[in-house]
Amino acid sequence: GLTRMGILHNLARLTAGAAPDHASGGVREWVRVEDIEIDPAAEGPRAGLLALRFSIRVSGQHAADATLWLDPASGLPVHREQVVSFPGGQMLVTESYEFSAERE
């Protein structure tokens, strides 16, 4: 669970008095990405990127909505914004990715 969902997810569970999620695996049955669609109107970190919107369900419950911007030339992710819903509120997660032109 720690490597699949990330440390922040499991730290949030621990602070709420719950055990870390699915430490033994089984993520394919536990986490689902749904409602994937291309959003040509999404404003991203820079022009010309392809925006994919999707929702995330964890244990059958809606947990987050996200947008992932891809570079159409390389097919690689450039930026992600995700709103995670908790019982006490929401958390905005933002990630930016950089790739070197050189590959080994």
Side-chain angles (χ1 to χ4, degrees), residues 62-65 83-91:
H62 178 265
D65 293 298
V83 177
V84 183
S85 300
F86 294 103
Q90 295 182 325
M91 173 181 64

Side-chain angles (χ1 to χ4, degrees), residues 17-33:
D21 266 323
H22 294 265
S24 62
V27 74
R28 285 190 176 97
E29 295 78 30
W30 177 48
V31 179
R32 295 274 186 207
V33 174

